[in-house]
Amino acid sequence: MSNLTLPIVSQFLVAVIANVAALIALPLTMGFTKFGPTVFCASLFTLNLFMMSRMIQSGVPLSGLIPLMTGVIPLTMIVVGIIHFGENGSPLRIGLLLGACALAAAAAAVQT
């Protein structure tokens, strides 16, 4: 991602925010049985995929975008889960998730 322009960064932020908002709204769908929350949640996931496809069309390599999203979204959801949902944020759990994100980033950096 050597060509980080303002539109690409904006698309990335919109994609991350849409995905995180969709994940937060997921429990409201009650297993996709509530129509309104389900449409809202599906719309947010669709916006996320649309923004990702626009970034790819702009020249962002898929091999860089997916690992970056794979790291940013779970780390954001850890913070949301601890703050908003009152989940357990043990050091071991956070350390393992950070390690997994680091491994995904390292795998993305490998040139074949």
Side-chain angles (χ1 to χ4, degrees):
M1 287 213 253
S2 59
N3 241 355
L4 289 181
T5 62
L6 183 60
I8 290 176
V9 172
S10 300
Q11 290 169 349
F12 179 78
L13 290 175
V14 169
V16 168
I17 291 168
N19 198 313
V20 169
L23 291 171
I24 292 170
L26 203 53
L28 301 175
T29 67
M30 300 296 219
F32 296 124
T33 60
K34 301 262 185 188
F35 181 73
T38 297
V39 169
F40 178 68
C41 187
S43 298
L44 289 169
F45 278 128
T46 302
L47 176 60
N48 171 47
L49 290 173
F50 177 73
M51 287 293 121
M52 288 177 63
S53 68
R54 296 293 297 167
M55 285 185 282
I56 293 166
Q57 182 188 21
S58 298
V60 176
L62 189 62
S63 62
L65 178 63
I66 297 300
L68 186 60
M69 297 286 278
T70 301
V72 171
I73 292 170
L75 293 176
T76 305
M77 286 307 298
I78 290 169
V79 173
V80 169
I82 292 170
I83 293 172
H84 183 66
F85 294 112
E87 294 179 0
N88 178 16
S90 71
L92 177 61
R93 181 179 186 191
I94 293 172
L96 288 172
L97 290 168
L98 288 173
C101 292
L103 286 173
V110 172
Q111 299 288 327
T112 56

